[in-house]
């Protein structure tokens, strides 16, 4: 009998063989590339405190990860929609960036000043949990290399593959450290940093509004997140800009992101 083509299945077998051994990450990358053709791939471990840990990265376009270590891991990750998936403990599964990003994400300073520089145009991430306080993001990106969005069919493929990816990743990284971490109080830290660095005393609510603005939430979206009316959100935003002597979101980003990075 003539053998049927099984490039993807054969590579999946190689991933299974390398589980818990050297070469697992690269085998996983090759399999996912055959299934979904991403331009780049990164595996991040998010915890309740501190920056994520990069477990694997691969790209043929250096610009994609050029500012990952200095800006993203330095604090900008707190504004990433995918980091919010860890905070809210979403179910294991595949998530497309456009489906989880805030409604004004493409107008946010995080997007304009950081994300846009990566040349990424689309992402799908597999989220799973090898430990209760650790979530893995196995993130497949499309960037300027191909300039192609993921199709609806490819997203359906990712959703079908998700249970397999999760089972493989959770087993391989089951030994990732589960030392107790204190959850980051990002709002409290921002309030303290603003007072220390600039002598500006924000209220916790003003700091919450500032962070949501930076993440790309519109006035309506902020209201829904905080249980406030749009008019009340506008009041807090006006107070925030006046107290900090700001006139634009770009100035807000420039003022606060260095404080998220710890200076």
């Amino acid at each position: 009998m003539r053998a049927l083509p099984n490039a993807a299945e054969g590579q999946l077998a190689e991933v299974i063989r390398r589980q818990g051994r050297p070469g697992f990450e690269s085998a996983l990358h090759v399999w996912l590339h055959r299934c979904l053709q991403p331009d780049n791939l990164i595996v991040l471990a998010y915890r309740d405190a501190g920056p994520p840990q990069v477990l694997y990265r691969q790209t043929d376009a250096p610009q994609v990860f050029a500012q990952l270590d200095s800006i993203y891991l330095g604090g900008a990750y707190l504004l990433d929609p995918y980091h919010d998936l860890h905070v809210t403990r979403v179910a294991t599964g595949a998530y497309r960036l456009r489906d989880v990003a805030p409604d004004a994400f493409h107008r946010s300073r995080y997007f304009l000043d950081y994300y846009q520089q990566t040349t990424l145009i689309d992402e799908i991430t597999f989220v799973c949990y090898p430990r209760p306080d650790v979530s893995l993001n196995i993130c497949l990106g499309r960037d300027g290399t191909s300039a192609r969005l993921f199709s609806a069919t490819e997203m359906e493929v990712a959703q079908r593959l998700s249970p397999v990816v999760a089972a493989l990743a959770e087993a391989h990284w089951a030994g990732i450290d589960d030392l107790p971490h204190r959850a980051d109080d990002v709002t409290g830290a921002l309030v303290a940093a603003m007072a220390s660095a600039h002598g500006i005393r924000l209220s916790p609510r003003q700091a919450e509004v500032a962070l949501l603005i930076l993440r790309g939430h519109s006035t309506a979206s902020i209201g829904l997140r905080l249980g406030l009316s749009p008019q009340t959100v506008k009041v807090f935003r006006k107070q925030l800009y006046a107290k900090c002597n700001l006139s634009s979101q770009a100035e807000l980003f420039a003022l606060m992101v260095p404080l998220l990075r710890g200076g």
Side-chain angles (χ1 to χ4, degrees), residues 33-55:
H33 188 272
R34 287 181 175 173
C35 296
L36 293 163
Q37 291 81 50
D39 296 328
N40 56 76
L41 183 145
I42 188 168
V43 181
L44 295 168
Y46 289 102
R47 295 173 173 81
D48 290 340
Q53 177 184 1
V54 179
L55 302 177

Side-chain angles (χ1 to χ4, degrees), residues 112-263:
L112 295 172
D113 293 350
Y114 170 71
Y115 192 86
Q116 193 167 239
Q117 311 309 312
T118 68
T119 75
L120 286 164
I121 60 172
D122 204 0
E123 292 183 88
I124 294 173
T125 196
F126 296 98
V127 177
C128 60
Y129 300 88
R131 297 280 182 163
D133 70 331
V134 178
S135 68
L136 295 180
N137 270 27
I138 301 166
C139 194
L140 285 62
R142 291 267 175 85
D143 56 50
T145 304
S146 68
R148 293 187 301 126
L149 298 172
F150 287 106
S151 68
T153 298
E154 287 170 326
M155 186 61 201
E156 290 174 2
V157 170
Q159 290 171 332
R160 290 200 299 272
L161 294 179
S162 178
V164 179
V165 174
L168 291 167
E170 288 175 352
H172 179 73
W173 280 291
I176 199 166
D177 75 270
D178 63 341
L179 298 175
H181 295 280
R182 177 183 57 81
D184 278 334
D185 176 12
V186 181
T187 301
L190 181 59
V191 170
M194 285 291 292
S196 175
H198 302 290
I200 299 172
R201 301 194 177 278
L202 298 179
S203 71
R205 186 63 89 190
Q206 289 166 347
E208 284 180 315
V209 169
L211 288 167
L212 289 171
I213 290 171
L214 292 173
R215 287 172 179 143
H217 289 270
S218 67
T219 296
S221 180
I222 294 171
L224 289 172
R225 288 284 293 251
L226 300 181
L228 302 173
S229 70
Q231 190 57 42
T232 301
V233 173
K234 290 178 182 178
V235 170
F236 279 118
R237 183 172 186 151
K238 184 175 181 180
Q239 292 172 344
L240 170 69
Y241 275 52
K243 189 173 286 189
C244 299
N245 194 27
L246 303 173
S247 59
S248 69
Q249 192 183 126
E251 293 177 353
L252 181 69
F253 187 91
L255 176 68
M256 293 191 171
V257 169
L259 302 180
L260 297 178
R261 299 201 298 264

